[in-house]
Amino acid sequence: MGSCRSFWRGPWDLWLPGVWPNEQAALPAEQGAEMLCPAQGLETWRGAGLEQGSCELALKSLGNEGLFLFSSLDTNNDLYLSPEEFKPIAEKLTGVAPISDFEEEEMPDPGGETLSLVAKFQPLVMETMTKSKDGFLGISHVALSGLRNWTAPATPMSVMLARQFKAFLPPKNKLDLGDPWWIIPSELNIFTGYLSNNRFYPPPPKGKEIIIHRLLSMFHPRPFVKTRFAPQGAVACIQAISTFYYTIAFRIHAEFQLNEPPDFPFWFSPGQFTGHIILSKDSSHVREFKLFVPNNRSLNVDMEWLYGASESSNMEVDIGYLPQMELESTGPSIPSVIHDENGNVIDSRDPSGEPIQFVFEEITWQQEIPWEEAAQKLEVAMYPFKKVSYLPFTQAFERAKAEKKLVHSILLWGALDDQSCSGRTLRETVLESSPILALLNESFISSWSLVKELEELQTNRENEFYSKLADLHLEKYNFPVEMIICLPNGTVIHHINANYFLDITSMKPEDVESSIFSFSTNFEDPSTATYLQFLKEGLQRAKPYLQT
């Protein structure tokens, strides 16, 4: 008879309810220590050709929550739990987190210097979420429990070895100021799609991911070093160079899973983590370290949560403001063991009992670039569409007036150039294509704006012109993203909604009725061709105004 099997194959056997032990011998030996169980719910099982009776039996044996938990752990969707995938449960049961293979091989010298770090955290301002405007109607309290309960850093203070920060050092071919490199490369793009939402526990960090994971774990115990959406990873560049030190600027895209079973996943994605480290070239000494989520925008965190136990379940999306999330060193790294001139270990306190105070030499920087320039280099590495300068809203219109150009404006719910974004598809396709970049640089002044910020500008009567500009934009806005072309005085001469744009670019050319968005034969990519046509149409409509 058909059956669904679930057990741990090792020195002992663990059987879940409804499983037949005598079927153990039917499994191939090369499967090793694996837990076998159906994943992704009944739909996946039936799609794999299992009998309906078997699937119903599995559901009865494991229950909805059991199925959901298994699905969240089976990260590669191969219907098996490997020992690596089973680790989060093992850690929960034993309370012991095993040391990764990388850490065992690369354990730094325990006699090296140590760096003390302090975590500062202010929870999300719930009133900034758009769902809060209706009192979170229709949203269960359980769904937001992980968010509401996260009010302080998981580890307020931590001591790490200085050599663990070796991961921030540049490779030998990236020693020029501002030349970016990937600490953790991004593995996703518009073609690969995105990673599963239905997960609770991060995969074990490897290599250079380990230090990033440890740092972010000071905020919350479940950081995902690689985000579900592109661009993932961490990028860095040299900001300053001295004889013995580098200042390294960095940018990290990571997110947190705030819920655990039996609740459904809740993803918390800060727009970005950025910061800098002053590190000796041999990584033995850290002079300064700071990592933080920028809080200069009115909204800086994306949140997404599931209402069911599969990828096809309803997903709720919102955005909000996080006042503070930062790590900072309390001072330079200091020796964990102190030796006298003869090499003997001495006490770390002076005769009066006070800790020995270390005096550090002043660093003379031989080359350096401003922080803003370094940050811009990192931004372009993450987002190639930023090869075009996107000016703040009001500055864009002032520049357009001075240069007699049109304003290419994007109005959206979340930031276009960080992970709290509602314009992912747009920035990863047309906005970074060569023809679009060339035309925007040549003929437009570009800008993007948050709806919330233009709403605030609209009500600000201290500058009537800026208020009117915001008003003209908001008149044309429809959720989630509106692309707008307008004159320097704010008059909108052309606009298109992102959803409509995606709809027409997914159609066959012969099915597109409007000649305004007709496809050009010069480009194979319909999205690029259509957006190019949108920009050219705006230039054509503006000719009478720009010639006067």
Side-chain angles (χ1 to χ4, degrees):
M1 62 177 290
S3 63
C4 296
R5 310 174 181 89
S6 296
F7 55 86
W8 179 260
R9 300 181 61 208
W12 61 88
D13 294 319
L14 170 65
W15 289 283
L16 297 183
V19 178
W20 288 266
N22 60 358
E23 296 190 352
Q24 198 171 358
L27 294 170
E30 62 267 18
Q31 284 176 344
E34 295 178 331
M35 180 180 242
L36 283 72
C37 183
Q40 300 297 335
L42 297 180
E43 296 83 358
T44 300
W45 296 359
R46 290 169 182 152
L50 293 178
E51 298 174 5
Q52 182 168 344
S54 301
C55 300
E56 298 297 341
L57 177 60
L59 177 60
K60 183 178 179 180
S61 299
L62 298 174
N64 285 320
E65 292 179 3
L67 282 176
F68 187 38
L69 175 58
F70 182 91
S71 174
S72 69
L73 293 169
D74 184 22
T75 56
N76 59 2
N77 298 326
D78 64 352
L79 306 185
Y80 301 100
L81 290 191
S82 66
E84 200 68 27
E85 291 171 325
F86 192 69
K87 270 185 181 179
I89 297 300
E91 291 172 21
K92 277 284 182 184
L93 295 174
T94 64
V96 178
I99 298 175
S100 75
D101 294 339
F102 177 87
E103 290 176 294
E104 290 177 340
E105 296 172 3
E106 302 289 338
M107 184 66 73
D109 177 11
E113 295 189 2
T114 59
L115 184 72
S116 296
L117 295 165
V118 173
K120 299 176 183 178
F121 178 81
Q122 295 180 42
L124 188 95
V125 180
M126 300 294 289
E127 294 75 20
T128 60
M129 295 175 66
T130 59
K131 309 300 187 212
S132 72
K133 295 177 181 177
D134 58 8
F136 294 104
L137 295 176
I139 299 177
S140 70
H141 182 77
V142 173
L144 299 177
S145 61
L147 177 65
R148 295 184 188 277
N149 294 335
W150 190 18
T151 59
T155 308
M157 187 169 185
S158 182
V159 177
M160 298 185 185
L161 294 169
R163 288 197 183 277
Q164 292 177 289
F165 292 84
K166 181 180 179 180
F168 288 92
L169 284 177
K172 292 180 180 179
N173 63 339
K174 294 290 181 179
L175 300 181
D176 294 334
L177 295 176
D179 188 8
W181 71 88
W182 290 91
I183 300 175
I184 302 172
S186 180
E187 297 176 350
L188 299 180
N189 55 48
I190 192 66
F191 303 106
T192 59
Y194 56 87
L195 299 180
S196 171
N197 294 308
N198 184 16
R199 293 178 294 159
F200 290 102
Y201 305 107
K206 298 177 181 179
K208 294 180 180 180
E209 297 173 9
I210 292 174
I211 182 62
I212 306 296
H213 184 272
R214 282 186 170 175
L215 291 167
L216 298 181
S217 293
M218 291 182 66
F219 296 122
H220 192 278
R222 290 185 298 283
F224 281 70
V225 175
K226 290 187 174 179
T227 54
R228 292 162 297 143
F229 300 97
Q232 302 171 298
V235 67
C237 71
I238 298 175
Q239 185 189 343
I241 302 174
S242 79
T243 304
F244 300 108
Y245 292 92
Y246 294 120
T247 296
I248 307 293
F250 58 83
R251 175 170 176 152
I252 301 167
H253 287 180
E255 55 191 349
F256 300 90
Q257 177 51 243
L258 303 193
N259 285 350
E260 288 189 279
D263 298 334
F264 297 132
F266 186 108
W267 293 93
F268 187 93
S269 308
Q272 62 168 296
F273 294 88
T274 191
H276 72 275
I277 180 171
I278 301 177
L279 179 66
S280 66
K281 292 180 179 180
D282 64 357
S283 73
S284 64
H285 179 65
V286 178
R287 180 60 59 89
E288 187 174 294
F289 180 86
K290 184 169 184 178
L291 173 153
F292 63 97
V293 174
N295 60 2
N296 57 318
R297 291 173 177 164
S298 57
L299 299 168
N300 60 355
V301 176
D302 177 74
M303 289 158 285
E304 301 178 13
W305 60 98
L306 287 171
Y307 273 123
S310 73
E311 287 295 320
S312 60
S313 301
N314 290 333
M315 174 79 82
E316 190 77 64
V317 180
D318 209 338
I319 195 167
Y321 179 70
L322 183 72
Q324 185 180 42
M325 180 184 276
E326 65 180 66
L327 300 178
E328 191 166 14
S329 55
T330 59
S333 62
I334 58 175
S336 53
V337 177
I338 305 172
H339 298 87
D340 61 17
E341 61 274 13
N342 298 319
N344 300 314
V345 176
I346 61 175
D347 199 330
S348 61
R349 295 180 177 273
D350 63 24
S352 66
E354 291 296 318
I356 292 177
Q357 299 296 313
F358 293 91
V359 178
F360 300 94
E361 79 280 6
E362 287 290 326
I363 300 175
T364 301
W365 299 109
Q366 297 159 343
Q367 303 176 61
E368 59 183 314
I369 58 175
W371 163 257
E372 293 76 15
E373 182 179 343
Q376 195 268 339
K377 298 284 188 182
L378 301 181
E379 189 173 69
V380 172
M382 285 285 193
Y383 300 117
F385 85 91
K386 292 303 292 282
K387 293 175 183 176
V388 166
S389 296
Y390 282 75
L391 300 180
F393 184 74
T394 55
Q395 289 182 27
F397 285 92
E398 293 169 358
R399 179 79 63 83
K401 182 178 180 181
E403 298 185 15
K404 295 184 178 180
K405 290 184 176 180
L406 298 180
V407 174
H408 164 246
S409 180
I410 299 175
L411 183 56
L412 67 172
W413 196 34
L416 189 62
D417 56 10
D418 68 28
Q419 295 300 84
S420 64
C421 174
S422 52
R424 294 185 184 117
T425 303
L426 190 67
R427 73 184 180 204
E428 292 170 16
T429 54
V430 295
L431 292 182
E432 68 174 47
S433 68
S434 297
I436 302 301
L437 289 171
L439 185 56
L440 289 177
N441 272 320
E442 178 185 355
S443 303
F444 293 88
I445 302 298
S446 291
S447 177
W448 68 262
S449 307
L450 295 175
V451 171
K452 180 179 177 63
E453 292 176 351
L454 289 200
E455 287 175 343
E456 294 172 354
L457 187 61
Q458 184 183 32
T459 58
N460 183 1
R461 298 305 173 187
E462 294 181 6
N463 190 311
E464 291 292 335
F465 176 62
Y466 291 163
S467 177
K468 182 64 176 176
L469 288 178
D471 189 51
L472 291 170
H473 256 55
L474 291 169
E475 282 179 2
K476 303 299 183 183
Y477 175 75
N478 283 297
F479 181 87
V481 182
E482 196 78 24
M483 292 85 83
I484 301 171
I485 297 175
C486 44
L487 301 174
N489 64 5
T491 301
V492 176
I493 58 173
H494 206 2
H495 67 100
I496 181 174
N497 184 264
N499 285 344
Y500 177 63
F501 174 79
L502 293 174
D503 286 342
I504 63 171
T505 54
S506 65
M507 296 169 62
K508 296 179 180 178
E510 59 269 22
D511 295 333
V512 181
E513 296 179 3
S514 173
S515 61
I516 294 176
F517 303 114
S518 61
F519 292 89
S520 166
T521 58
N522 296 331
F523 300 98
E524 294 181 2
D525 174 28
S527 298
T528 298
T530 305
Y531 206 81
L532 199 64
Q533 190 67 24
F534 165 65
L535 296 175
K536 288 181 177 179
E537 180 68 21
L539 289 170
Q540 188 67 29
R541 293 184 184 188
K543 273 186 178 180
Y545 303 95
L546 295 178
Q547 291 173 349
T548 57

